[in-house]
Amino acid sequence: MRKGSIAASLFWLSAGWLIVALVATGFLLTDLYSRALDTSLSETLEFHVESLAGDLLESGDPLSQAIALTDPRFDRPRSGWYWTIRDADGQLYNLSTSVVGIVLPAIEGLADASGMRTGVVDDAFGTRIRVVERAVTIGAKTYEIVVTGSLSEVLKLVDDFRGQTFIVLGAVGAMLAIMSVIVARIAMRPISRLSKAIERVREGDAVAVDGNYPNEIAPLAEEVNELLRSNAQIIERAKSQVGNLAHGLKTPIAVLRNEAAAKKGALADVVSAETEKMSTMVSTYLERARLAARTSVVGKKADSTMIMLRLTRVMRKIHPDVTVAFQRPDASLPWFRGDEADLEEMAGNLLDNACKWSKGQVGVRLSAERGDTGVMLLIRIDDNGPGLSEEDAQKVLRRGVRLDEKTPGSGLGLDIVKELVDVYGGSLQLTRSALGGLLVELRLPTSRLTGMTKS
């Protein structure tokens, strides 16, 4: 019934959203930075265009040496920073030192309100450049002033900024991920406390779920306590009703049995036989109800080692001719999760049967076995008797079946054991023993060892 972890789900959900948010933030910051640099470049080029236009208007001669820009980048060839002055026919009048052996590509488009045009092209060396162009009229002649700046430098700065941005955002993301793990663990602590409180009830260390919980979890704890209280009331009511029914039927059945015994004939025999069946059924179902009610009570546990020690001592007295060897386990053996009397009834019946059928040797071992449903208490009882075939082992577990009528007993001992095993969710297996007889393996649920005290 388990399906993942809430803490893990919260972590992966927050981590996924965090990654998307940080990546989007990284691209957004890079785009904003790129736009800012491009705007700055355009403004710089427009300033240079205005400076050249002012020099041209002041001198009145496009060939004048006074027309120049002090920015040293216009002195370096292949820098992407160029300026030229041409007439409307394309004749070159003046240029920067950086314009060596190249022809600047023309740009398309209409001029804006200030008379400038702008565009992006590649120069002869493959450098991406931003071009700003303006027309200046002196007398009857119109000149075109073209100034360019390296856009490749801007793109390189953007790439460097993008790399640094994602490194920083990655570090921030790692810190936020660690913080989300811490927050998830802190947020899940009340659920962990509630789980431990319920486990204490199940293990018998408490009778109700205790502790203070947040508003989101407190109703769950209250509902669990209400369920425990309601369950106890239902069990008690069922026990009372079954007991009343059984006791109410006993008197009519006894009357019918006595009347049938006082009469002779076929009818009396039929009534006597049927009343005997009715009496047996009432006793059987009363016993079943008693077992079910007793094992449904939450919080019982028993020390299996002490119970088996007590049973082996009793069996040695009852069967003095049988050697009962008990291999005592270590102190880490978990306790039986259930009523002590039930464990005595199950193990006592099985051990008594082993002593009756053995040829003088019986072995008892206790251990813990981990399975799909958790740790189970494994009780092994084997003897050196005749044993059972696989078919007989299946038969003997049926209600009231006995393979040998000469041996004392009613055949109901194993019925009671099987009934209790089913109620507790355990298992009972009959196989061949290494001693030559029957090996009985009884598996039952366990209670954790922590916090237990022997009594």
Side-chain angles (χ1 to χ4, degrees):
M1 295 178 65
R2 297 188 178 185
K3 188 179 179 180
S5 166
I6 297 178
S9 299
L10 288 175
F11 170 75
W12 288 116
L13 183 63
S14 60
W17 174 250
L18 188 62
I19 291 172
V20 173
L22 290 178
V23 170
T25 301
F27 282 111
L28 178 61
L29 290 175
T30 302
D31 183 66
L32 293 175
Y33 182 66
S34 175
R35 290 173 183 269
L37 290 180
D38 191 31
T39 300
S40 176
L41 177 62
S42 297
E43 291 176 350
T44 299
L45 296 178
E46 290 174 3
F47 173 78
H48 289 321
V49 167
E50 294 293 342
S51 297
L52 291 173
D55 291 343
L56 178 59
L57 291 173
E58 184 178 347
S59 64
D61 181 8
L63 297 174
S64 172
Q65 297 295 322
I67 301 175
L69 294 175
T70 58
D71 192 331
R73 289 177 292 186
F74 291 101
D75 297 331
R76 289 187 291 111
R78 309 178 70 169
S79 64
W81 292 83
Y82 315 114
W83 65 266
T84 61
I85 299 177
R86 301 173 183 270
D87 60 14
D89 298 327
Q91 182 179 350
L92 185 63
Y93 285 89
N94 210 336
L95 72 163
S96 65
T97 308
S98 57
V99 183
V100 178
I102 64 171
V103 177
L104 296 180
I107 60 174
E108 303 294 334
L110 300 175
D112 59 15
S114 61
M116 290 189 183
R117 290 192 305 166
T118 184
V120 178
V121 295
D122 293 331
D123 67 7
F125 307 109
T127 303
R128 198 80 168 163
I129 57 176
R130 165 73 68 181
V131 182
V132 176
E133 187 178 289
R134 179 183 175 184
V136 177
T137 301
I138 300 178
K141 198 168 183 64
T142 300
Y143 300 95
E144 291 183 350
I145 301 176
V146 178
V147 180
T148 71
S150 177
L151 197 59
S152 294
E153 293 178 3
V154 172
L155 297 177
K156 184 176 184 306
L157 289 174
V158 171
D159 288 338
D160 293 342
F161 177 80
R162 181 185 295 111
Q164 294 172 359
T165 299
F166 281 111
I167 290 174
V168 173
L169 290 178
V172 172
M175 289 187 289
L176 290 177
I178 294 173
M179 184 188 71
S180 67
V181 171
I182 296 173
V183 170
R185 292 183 68 88
I186 293 175
M188 296 303 296
R189 279 180 182 174
I191 296 180
S192 178
R193 286 194 290 112
L194 178 60
S195 176
K196 290 179 180 178
I198 295 175
E199 184 181 4
R200 285 196 299 271
V201 174
R202 183 175 64 87
E203 298 293 345
D205 296 330
V207 295
V209 176
D210 55 2
N212 297 320
Y213 301 97
N215 293 333
E216 295 80 3
I217 303 176
L220 178 59
E222 293 170 1
E223 289 298 323
V224 170
N225 283 333
E226 182 62 24
L227 180 61
L228 291 172
R229 187 190 63 79
S230 176
N231 183 54
Q233 288 182 348
I234 291 172
I235 292 171
E236 191 61 34
R237 204 159 45 238
K239 286 169 61 179
S240 177
Q241 291 174 357
V242 171
N244 292 338
L245 176 62
H247 288 297
L249 289 174
K250 279 184 178 181
T251 300
I253 291 173
V255 172
L256 290 175
R257 186 188 294 117
N258 293 336
E259 290 296 326
K263 305 291 183 181
K264 299 295 183 182
L267 179 59
D269 293 339
V270 171
V271 172
S272 180
E274 294 304 317
T275 52
E276 187 63 34
K277 289 181 182 179
M278 291 170 63
S279 180
T280 302
M281 290 178 65
V282 167
S283 299
T284 299
Y285 284 101
L286 181 60
E287 179 66 16
R288 285 189 178 185
R290 181 186 66 83
L291 294 177
R294 193 168 70 193
T295 53
S296 297
V297 177
V298 177
K300 290 191 175 182
K301 58 188 176 182
D303 187 346
S304 52
T305 301
M306 298 305 295
I307 290 174
M308 295 308 297
L309 277 172
R310 187 163 60 245
L311 288 176
T312 52
R313 286 196 295 265
V314 172
M315 291 301 159
R316 287 166 184 162
K317 293 179 181 179
I318 298 175
H319 305 278
D321 56 333
V322 177
T323 300
V324 182
F326 176 55
Q327 184 177 340
R328 183 165 184 167
D330 56 40
S332 64
L333 184 73
W335 285 26
F336 166 62
R337 190 173 73 239
D339 190 79
E340 181 176 333
D342 291 338
L343 181 58
E344 285 186 348
E345 193 156 12
M346 289 184 283
N349 271 297
L350 295 174
L351 190 54
D352 186 51
N353 282 338
C355 292
K356 288 178 181 177
W357 289 94
S358 73
K359 296 179 180 178
Q361 188 176 357
V362 173
V364 180
R365 288 170 292 169
L366 293 181
S367 62
E369 183 180 71
R370 184 173 295 278
D372 296 335
T373 57
V375 178
M376 301 290 284
L377 175 66
L378 176 57
I379 302 176
R380 290 188 178 96
I381 301 175
D382 51 359
D383 60 69
N384 64 343
L388 294 173
S389 65
E390 186 175 345
E391 182 180 356
D392 289 341
Q394 296 298 324
K395 279 183 182 180
V396 81
L397 292 177
R398 298 174 190 167
R399 179 165 295 278
V401 173
R402 297 186 59 205
L403 300 179
D404 189 354
E405 297 295 333
K406 296 179 181 179
T407 304
S410 62
L412 293 176
L414 282 178
D415 294 343
I416 296 173
V417 173
K418 188 67 169 65
E419 190 78 32
L420 286 169
V421 169
D422 291 340
V423 169
Y424 278 108
S427 66
L428 180 64
Q429 290 182 336
L430 306 179
T431 57
R432 177 65 65 175
S433 167
L435 298 178
L438 184 67
L439 170 61
V440 180
E441 292 184 331
L442 176 62
R443 291 173 175 83
L444 296 169
T446 60
S447 177
R448 61 187 176 87
L449 195 62
T450 305
M452 294 181 181
T453 56
K454 292 183 180 182
S455 58

